[in-house]
Amino acid sequence: MAIRWRAAAILLLLIPLALPGSAVAEAAVPIPRVPADFHWGVATSGFQTEGDAPDSNWRRYVDGGATTVHDPYANAVDFRNRYAGDIALAEDMGVNTFRIGVEWPRIEPRPGEIDQSALALYDGMVREIEAAGMTPMITLTHFTHPGWITDRGGWTNASTVDSWLAFAELVVSRYAGKGALWITFNEATIYRSFEERNGGLNVFQSDAMMRNLVTAHRRGYDLIHRLDPGAKVSSNLAVKPPPLQWFDDASFVDKVRDKLDFAGIDYYYGASLDNLSAIHGATDEFWKIDPQPDGLYHALKTYHRKFPELPLYVVENGMPTDNGKPRADGYTRADHLRDHVYWLQRAMAEGIEVIGYNYWSITDNYEWGSYRPRFGLYTVDALTDPALTRRPTDAVPAYRELISGAGVPPGYLPKRRPAWCAFADLSTCFGPVPLSAQPG
């Protein structure tokens, strides 16, 4: 019996090499240049980058040792004092959109008490982004809420909706008229998962949190349009392999689809029968996951089918490395960036309206308990370098070339072959995903 199982395992490993979907097809598929009004962006979040974090759910999780990994928060990458330099680095690459998060815990540290110095901090960020000729993308909540909201039950308490709306009104009225793109909640279902994982929420309270987040987004969407007419508003979602995606979408994005001006998606990891490495995400060893760039193409097609009336925006995409070390397979951050932009252009070639792409992130940051996963275009040794020096990776010149060239160069072929039998598109089990050999 053991011999039979070993033989079956070997056969399963060989199947991908024999089926047509496993080979890199050379069929030419013309791809269009990225349009001139495309949003080429970079993304950050408040808690992960600013340093000097005030009392919040996440400050308590980190200080109380609730996270899986327990690197001290220290000063993060000190974005609150270095934002002008980081925005200049983005401008030098040709980036035209800069995503920031405003921290509710910093702005309203106690109920009804507004910290004017915090507002001045975000005024400075928005001013620098504007001065650089960029569009600000402003996230109102990126996994954090004030400690006093935690003390009141967090998002399980329906009164949190009104408290959040008051905060949102303060921020939106301050930056209305600046052409900002607005994100109400970053990855609402991941927000819930973090709360469950860190002990801020039990599974019996999950539905209450999601109901209140749905209500807050729906009312927040109307609020933003009243205060900032013509603004585009969304809540970006994290792409997961089916069927996990179906459950996540049913709990949030499907309930707010009529309150979205674009569908914002965050794509990091795919899954297929020849790539099950996404399982490493369960242990936060994200650098062990094998990138699957064509999964972005499948994600864009999926959400175009789901929301045919909405343009799409890749709000986050990036690749972690293990403390900045090169990947063992030689796949570089520049390779990863170019491959994903290629597949974005492939989706556009099929008539899918994609209006923007943000790289996560402009610098390395505090990845929710650890500095080990490095996502930055510029790497920062937060634990060992007191100067927090920004050092460019090979993706910096690559991004500059992509932006100035309106996408990948003519004849570009991805370094990574398309997945065989991608969970997001089972048709790849039976036929090849053709690659492009010429530009449109």
Side-chain angles (χ1 to χ4, degrees):
M1 183 63 72
I3 293 175
R4 289 179 183 175
W5 277 112
R6 282 197 294 270
I10 292 171
L11 179 61
L12 285 172
L13 290 172
L14 292 176
I15 285 174
L17 301 179
L19 290 176
S22 66
V24 172
E26 296 298 334
V29 178
I31 58 173
R33 301 290 84 195
V34 173
D37 61 352
F38 189 79
H39 291 276
W40 291 106
V42 291
T44 64
S45 87
F47 180 81
Q48 290 178 271
T49 63
E50 288 175 0
D52 188 33
D55 181 36
S56 70
N57 57 328
W58 264 98
R59 185 77 214 211
R60 294 183 186 188
Y61 295 148
V62 171
D63 291 348
T67 56
T68 305
V69 184
H70 308 306
D71 281 345
Y73 179 79
N75 202 27
V77 292
D78 194 29
F79 183 68
R80 75 190 190 286
N81 290 312
R82 303 170 191 240
Y83 62 81
D86 288 347
I87 291 167
L89 292 175
E91 181 185 11
D92 181 64
M93 285 185 284
V95 164
N96 61 28
T97 303
F98 199 105
R99 181 188 180 200
I100 61 171
V102 291
E103 284 286 284
W104 183 11
R106 191 180 296 281
I107 290 174
E108 190 177 8
R110 283 163 291 279
E113 180 182 316
I114 304 304
D115 188 326
Q116 296 300 321
S117 66
L119 290 176
L121 170 66
Y122 297 117
D123 288 349
M125 291 182 190
V126 172
R127 186 166 54 248
E128 287 290 333
I129 292 168
E130 286 188 295
M134 300 181 193
T135 296
M137 175 179 276
I138 303 175
T139 306
L140 292 170
T141 292
H142 198 126
F143 300 157
T144 62
H145 50 259
W148 57 269
I149 287 290
T150 297
D151 294 337
R152 293 181 176 184
W155 280 99
T156 66
N157 187 334
S159 71
T160 298
V161 174
D162 288 329
S163 297
W164 182 85
L165 286 167
F167 153 72
E169 182 170 7
L170 173 69
V171 174
V172 175
S173 61
R174 198 171 186 92
Y175 305 123
K178 296 183 179 296
L181 300 166
W182 293 97
I183 300 293
T184 55
F185 296 98
N186 179 79
E187 298 180 348
T189 59
I190 305 298
Y191 191 8
R192 172 193 59 192
S193 297
F194 271 143
E195 290 299 288
E196 292 174 342
R197 179 173 173 176
N198 293 329
L201 188 74
N202 65 52
V203 293
F204 301 106
Q205 298 171 314
S206 292
D207 286 347
M209 178 173 180
M210 295 314 296
R211 282 196 305 271
N212 290 327
L213 287 178
V214 166
T215 300
H217 171 85
R218 295 184 64 83
R219 292 176 61 187
Y221 175 90
D222 293 339
L223 172 76
I224 294 169
H225 277 283
R226 176 170 59 82
L227 297 172
D228 196 7
K232 289 185 170 61
V233 184
S234 190
S235 174
N236 53 315
L237 59 93
V239 174
K240 295 180 182 177
L244 297 176
Q245 193 69 60
W246 305 336
F247 297 121
D248 272 11
D249 286 0
S251 66
F252 186 79
V253 72
D254 291 349
K255 296 178 179 179
V256 302
R257 61 180 299 158
D258 60 320
K259 299 289 185 180
L260 299 172
D261 297 319
F262 60 93
I265 68 170
D266 296 356
Y267 177 79
Y268 290 95
Y269 316 115
S272 59
L273 284 188
D274 61 347
N275 181 11
L276 300 176
S277 63
I279 192 65
H280 291 296
T283 56
D284 291 338
E285 296 175 296
F286 301 106
W287 53 88
K288 292 184 178 180
I289 300 175
D290 291 330
Q292 192 170 306
D294 61 300
L296 177 59
Y297 165 77
H298 297 308
L300 291 168
K301 293 210 303 181
T302 294
Y303 284 97
H304 176 65
R305 288 192 297 268
K306 180 185 276 285
F307 304 124
E309 73 283 7
L310 294 178
L312 305 179
Y313 193 126
V314 181
V315 176
E316 292 181 23
N317 173 244
M319 183 183 79
T321 59
D322 184 7
N323 249 341
K325 293 182 291 190
R327 287 180 57 90
D329 59 9
Y331 195 61
T332 70
R333 191 173 299 282
D335 293 335
H336 180 275
L337 174 57
R338 284 188 287 256
D339 281 3
H340 281 81
V341 171
Y342 165 85
W343 286 108
L344 180 151
Q345 291 175 255
R346 276 293 311 278
M348 295 173 72
E350 297 183 17
I352 297 173
E353 184 183 6
V354 186
I355 62 172
Y357 170 91
N358 293 345
Y359 193 86
W360 182 272
S361 179
I362 180 66
T363 66
D364 294 334
N365 51 51
Y366 189 68
E367 278 299 319
W368 309 107
S370 175
Y371 288 102
R372 185 172 179 179
R374 302 285 191 89
F375 283 89
L377 291 164
Y378 284 82
T379 194
V380 182
D381 293 320
L383 292 178
T384 62
D385 177 13
L388 297 174
T389 307
R390 275 64 167 152
R391 292 179 288 116
T393 67
D394 67 329
V396 169
Y399 203 15
R400 185 181 294 114
E401 291 167 6
L402 286 167
I403 294 170
S404 64
V408 293
Y412 181 81
L413 292 175
K415 300 292 184 182
R416 283 289 169 102
R417 67 176 179 81
W420 173 72
C421 213
F423 293 171
D425 186 355
L426 295 180
S427 69
T428 61
C429 302
F430 309 106
V433 177
L435 299 180
S436 172
Q438 53 185 285

